[in-house]
């Protein structure tokens, strides 16, 4: 078999693998003193891999020529859209890391570890495989490559008890979720006789048997853990709070994109002929995530933990598009995902800029009282991100919720959409709490440290994207999302 066309399709992954292996050797030989160089080269590799996606994103790549390695992988417009978001998120996570690890914020380990960018690269490769998976074997390979790297990233501060606890919890619960997913895959293989997505879909025609239905449920449960959707969300607040903040920013963006994209591909391409079997599950999960994410955040004082509940809440809105079960819903889901990445990344960059003179980070509401007086630029940026996450116009977060609600209502799920809209009001409380504390409380003057230029650049870029200026991007974004969503509904 000639594998040259297949290698051409996965050129971006090959670049990242080669860069990861080379930089792993550099990190092993040169040690942590080469961390800055390794980080720059890793970001350059991600940028180069992203540049390789541009022709496919612009011209489209759908059709039989998108299949690689005998159908194990599928490099279509949907995969390219997700990969572009993943690579951009990973670059952002690399940009903000050195200032954190080389400061007092890292506790007793005041050094940037050279393996951090290497782990990010390998996690990104795993995510690239996930979104291009066309077979349960390649799905699991990409999922575990990403997960194993993520477990180490969460616990990368070995002398920090919170980081170690986050890594251990993530590993234990992640192993449980992987077992659930594998069990579901084995049931589907047993009842359909194949592991390829099209083969499984062909075997799930007609009325589902009990065994195949259990396989579907277990697969969805395993994927729900990866996207931290209720009721499989229990790891998210602890891991977000305990992991180093740059790692949390990474977890909140790139893996979320990969897991959501993988879930969408599985439900549409594998279970697309059994909508009645999974739609109600996704609808329940979406509403439960919206409501629980909003209620769980109300009493939080730690900002990272609050943003963890915010991510659960936003996953619920993203799942609204999935529950619609048509192309318009999938397109709305992708639009929301892009805007969510900008909002989430910008929020965590703002948190990284809440530092004292000695470099120590602050991450509670008590620390940001009166921030508008001492650090007005950071305060106004946080206001932008929180209002956008709440969906308050004219910020772009409003548009993301609008397109999802529009797809829901147009699909005839009026009651479902109405409940989601009503539940979204609850979340506005804790987002507005940021504004109350920063702008109306007496200043405590805790945030006095200076932030690197890279943080300011990334904060400004993400703030501009979610500002009213971001509406200039919406025609192109919607076009790309429509093209990506359409590829999910093509039978190759």
């Amino acid at each position: 078999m000639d594998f040259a066309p297949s290698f051409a399709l996965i050129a971006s992954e090959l670049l990242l693998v080669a860069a990861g292996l080379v930089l792993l050797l550099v990190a092993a030989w040169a040690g942590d003193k080469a961390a800055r160089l390794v980080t720059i080269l890793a970001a350059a590799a991600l940028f180069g891999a992203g540049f390789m996606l541009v022709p496919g994103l612009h011209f489209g790549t759908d059709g039989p020529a998108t299949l690689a390695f005998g159908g194990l992988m599928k490099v279509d417009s949907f995969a390219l859209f997700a990969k572009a978001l993943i690579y951009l998120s990973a670059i952002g996570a690399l940009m903000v890391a050195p200032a954190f690890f080389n400061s007092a914020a890292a506790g007793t380990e005041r050094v940037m570890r050279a393996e951090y960018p290497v782990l990010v690269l390998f996690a990104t490769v795993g995510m690239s495989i996930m979104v291009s998976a066309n077979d349960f074997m390649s799905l699991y390979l990409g999922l575990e490559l990403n997960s194993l790297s993520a477990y180490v990233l969460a616990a990368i501060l070995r002398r920090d008890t919170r980081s170690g606890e986050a890594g251990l919890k993530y590993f234990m619960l992640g192993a449980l979720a992987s077992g659930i997913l594998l069990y579901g895959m084995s049931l589907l293989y047993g009842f359909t006789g194949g592991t390829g997505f099209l083969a499984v879909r062909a075997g799930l025609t007609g009325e589902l048997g009990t065994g195949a239905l259990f396989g579907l449920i277990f697969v969805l449960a395993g994927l729900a853990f990866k996207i931290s959707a209720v009721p499989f969300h229990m790891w998210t607040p602890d891991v977000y709070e305990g992991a180093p903040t740059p790692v949390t920013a990474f977890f909140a963006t790139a893996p979320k994109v990969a897991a959501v994209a993988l879930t969408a591909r599985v439900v549409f391409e594998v279970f697309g002929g059994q909508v009645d079997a999974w739609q109600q599950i996704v609808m329940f999960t979406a509403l439960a995530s919206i409501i629980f994410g909003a209620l769980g955040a109300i009493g939080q004082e730690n900002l990272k933990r609050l943003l963890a509940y915010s991510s659960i809440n936003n996953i619920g809105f993203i799942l609204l598009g999935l529950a619609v079960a048509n192309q318009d819903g999938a397109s709305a889901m992708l639009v929301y995902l892009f805007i969510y990445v900008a909002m989430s990344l910008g929020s965590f960059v703002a948190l990284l800029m809440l530092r004292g003179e000695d470099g120590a980070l602050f991450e509670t509401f008590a620390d940001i009282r009166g921030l508008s007086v001492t650090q007005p630029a950071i305060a106004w940026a946080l206001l932008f991100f929180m209002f956008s996450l709440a969906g308050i116009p004219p910020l772009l977060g409003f548009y993301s919720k609008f397109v999802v609600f529009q797809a829901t209502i147009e699909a005839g799920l009026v009651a479902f959409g109405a409940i989601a809209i009503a539940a979204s009001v609850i979340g506005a409380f804790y987002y507005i709490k940021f504004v109350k504390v920063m702008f109306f409380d007496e200043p405590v003057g805790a945030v006095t440290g200076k932030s690197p230029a890279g943080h300011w650049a990334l904060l400004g870029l993400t703030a501009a994207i979610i500002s009213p200026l971001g509406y200039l991007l919406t025609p192109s974004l919607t076009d790309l999302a429509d093209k990506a969503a359409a590829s999910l509904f093509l039978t190759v």
Side-chain angles (χ1 to χ4, degrees):
M1 181 180 291
D2 182 15
F3 287 112
S6 297
F7 285 127
L9 285 173
I10 62 164
S12 59
E13 286 87 348
L14 293 177
L15 173 61
L16 294 180
V17 169
L21 293 174
V22 171
L23 294 179
L24 182 62
L25 294 175
V26 173
W29 286 333
D32 291 337
K33 63 179 179 291
R36 182 177 178 83
L37 174 63
V38 174
T39 302
I40 293 172
L41 293 176
L46 286 165
F47 183 81
F51 188 76
M52 291 179 175
L53 307 178
V54 173
L57 280 171
H58 183 69
F59 296 108
T61 59
D62 300 314
T66 63
L67 296 180
F69 303 108
L72 286 173
M73 296 181 69
K74 187 177 182 182
V75 189
D76 54 4
S77 297
F78 180 77
L80 295 180
F81 185 96
K83 287 180 188 180
L85 267 184
I86 291 167
Y87 296 165
L88 290 173
S89 302
I91 292 172
L94 290 177
M95 284 179 60
V96 299
F100 172 87
F101 288 109
N102 293 328
S103 71
T108 56
E109 294 184 69
R110 299 190 184 187
V111 62
M112 172 73 176
R113 312 273 315 182
E115 59 264 32
Y116 172 83
V118 177
L119 288 166
V120 170
L121 278 181
F122 285 132
T124 304
V125 173
M127 288 182 272
S128 292
I129 297 173
M130 285 168 60
V131 300
S132 288
N134 196 45
D135 188 287
F136 279 117
M137 296 298 102
S138 52
L139 179 158
Y140 193 73
L141 175 67
L143 190 67
E144 287 306 298
L145 178 57
N146 168 50
S147 297
L148 292 173
S149 301
Y151 302 151
V152 181
L153 283 170
I156 199 166
L157 294 180
R158 293 175 296 179
R159 297 183 181 88
D160 187 319
T161 54
R162 291 200 311 168
S163 179
E165 180 184 352
L168 181 61
K169 287 182 177 179
Y170 198 10
F171 171 71
M172 296 297 291
L173 293 173
L176 173 64
S178 294
I180 292 172
L181 180 63
L182 276 175
Y183 185 58
M185 289 163 51
S186 67
L187 285 174
L188 291 175
Y189 171 69
F191 284 94
T192 63
T195 59
F197 287 177
L198 292 182
V200 175
R201 179 172 181 147
L204 294 178
T205 55
E207 186 176 352
L208 279 184
T210 303
L213 180 61
F214 269 97
L216 180 151
I217 292 172
F218 275 103
V219 166
L220 290 181
L223 294 176
F225 173 90
K226 300 302 179 182
I227 62 176
S228 64
V230 175
F232 303 98
H233 63 283
M234 68 289 292
W235 62 274
T236 312
D238 291 336
V239 172
Y240 274 41
E241 181 184 1
T245 306
V247 176
T248 305
F250 181 62
F251 287 169
T253 52
K256 280 285 195 298
V257 173
V260 169
L262 175 60
T263 303
R265 190 178 288 282
V266 169
V267 299
F268 288 130
E269 295 190 354
V270 182
F271 306 136
Q274 299 289 342
V275 174
D276 292 338
W278 60 261
Q279 188 179 36
Q280 292 183 9
I281 299 174
V282 176
M283 289 171 67
F284 166 78
T285 303
L287 289 180
S289 298
I290 292 172
I291 296 171
F292 184 85
L295 294 176
I298 289 176
Q300 301 300 322
E301 290 297 324
N302 184 282
L303 304 180
K304 289 169 65 178
R305 198 173 182 87
L306 185 147
L307 287 179
Y309 282 101
S310 172
S311 76
I312 296 170
N313 178 262
N314 278 278
I315 282 297
F317 289 112
I318 291 170
L319 289 177
L320 289 182
L322 195 63
V324 172
N326 61 27
Q327 185 174 322
D328 290 338
S331 176
M333 178 190 71
L334 292 176
V335 171
Y336 195 113
L337 203 56
F338 174 87
I339 298 171
Y340 166 75
V341 166
M343 295 186 297
S344 187
L345 184 60
S347 299
F348 281 103
V349 172
L351 294 193
L352 279 167
M353 298 172 74
L354 301 177
R355 58 177 67 240
E357 290 288 352
D358 60 353
L361 286 184
F362 300 105
E363 51 186 55
T364 67
F365 276 112
D367 299 319
I368 62 171
R369 290 175 181 167
L371 188 66
S372 61
V373 176
T374 56
Q375 296 283 352
I378 301 176
W380 279 99
L382 269 172
L383 180 146
F384 259 53
F385 293 121
M386 294 306 109
F387 275 12
S388 186
L389 284 167
I392 297 176
L395 300 174
L396 205 58
F398 166 77
Y399 180 75
S400 65
K401 285 183 170 60
F402 172 78
V403 294
V404 169
F405 289 142
Q406 183 182 40
T408 304
I409 301 302
E410 288 180 352
L413 303 175
V414 179
F416 178 56
I419 295 172
I421 292 172
S424 67
V425 178
I426 302 173
F429 172 81
Y430 59 85
Y431 292 127
I432 293 175
K433 185 178 179 180
F434 273 86
V435 180
K436 182 263 181 187
V437 171
M438 292 188 301
F439 286 84
F440 298 102
D441 284 5
E442 288 295 323
V444 294
V447 181
T448 55
K450 294 183 178 180
S451 300
H455 287 194
W456 284 109
L458 192 54
L459 186 74
L461 176 62
T462 50
I465 290 174
I466 59 105
S467 74
L469 293 174
Y471 285 92
L472 298 175
L473 300 174
T474 55
S476 298
L477 174 61
T478 302
D479 182 60
L480 288 174
D482 288 343
K483 188 184 301 181
S487 67
L488 278 179
F489 296 86
L490 292 176
T491 303
V492 178

